[in-house]
Amino acid sequence: MSSEVTGRLAAVRERVARAARVVGRDPDDVRILLAVKTQTGDVVREAVLDGARLLGHNRAQELVAMAPELADVPHEMHFIGRLQSNKATKVVPLVSCVQSVDGLALAQRLDRLAGEAGRVLDVFVQVNTSGEASKAGSAPEGALELAVGVGVLPHLRLRGLMTIGANSADVDVVRASYERLARLRDDVVASGAPGTGDARELSMGMSRDLEVAVAAGATMVRVGTAAFGSRPA
């Protein structure tokens, strides 16, 4: 096993634990998801064998290519990137969760595919809390309505909300984008709508800003470069 991967993972775990303790949270309440975009199967396998069993893919083609290489090691795979409707057929059989549901049409397609497979698929509603045009996700104003629409679909289980933090060097701007997601999550849970009562997860925060996300209530942080090093250009 690469001591480099092991060392980076240990550092990430310590960062998350420290961030949680600073705000009086239990570090065990924050899961680390490894964003494995551009990584090889061998490198990801090393991370899984080191105990990092929660993984996330951004690209359908990379997910399909890597799946056979990880078939013999226990892990939990999420899809965390933009999901085109025509790629959903390939993605759904290989993941336990899709975190990037940004509209009802995609949710309905995922529901149909999960139903045809005789299973229930976990999902997050993705919200664009920063308002940046380059980011996917429901507008915050429509997030509750989308969550309510997802909650009634019989083959989906709404776990919570996901966002990509503001791309800003101003920590206050980044913090505001995460705190907004937390408030939206509270609104969803309090709505009383079917299928929303257990949607308590907050998937937010990445390598550069995970401490800010944990302070704002993240239950899952998505880490790539901090665990694997800089991605190839």
Side-chain angles (χ1 to χ4, degrees), residues 168-188:
S168 174
D170 187 335
V171 174
D172 290 336
V173 172
V174 178
R175 180 181 297 111
S177 68
Y178 291 147
E179 290 178 345
R180 188 171 196 183
L181 193 76
R183 292 194 298 272
L184 289 169
R185 185 274 316 272
D186 293 344
D187 291 343
V188 169

Side-chain angles (χ1 to χ4, degrees), residues 104 106-109 111 120 148-157 194:
L104 192 57
L106 176 58
Q108 290 170 337
R109 178 155 177 77
D111 178 68
V120 174
V148 170
V150 171
V152 299
L153 295 173
H155 304 290
L156 301 185
R157 178 167 46 231

Side-chain angles (χ1 to χ4, degrees), residues 171-233:
V171 174
D172 290 336
V173 172
V174 178
R175 180 181 297 111
S177 68
Y178 291 147
E179 290 178 345
R180 188 171 196 183
L181 193 76
R183 292 194 298 272
L184 289 169
R185 185 274 316 272
D186 293 344
D187 291 343
V188 169
V189 173
S191 71
T196 62
D198 293 326
R200 300 181 181 278
E201 298 272 6
L202 290 172
S203 175
M204 58 189 191
M206 295 188 281
S207 294
R208 66 178 181 270
D209 59 18
L210 66 83
E211 288 85 357
V212 180
V214 170
T219 63
M220 186 180 296
V221 294
R222 305 182 306 276
V223 175
T225 56
F228 298 116
S230 298
R231 292 190 175 97

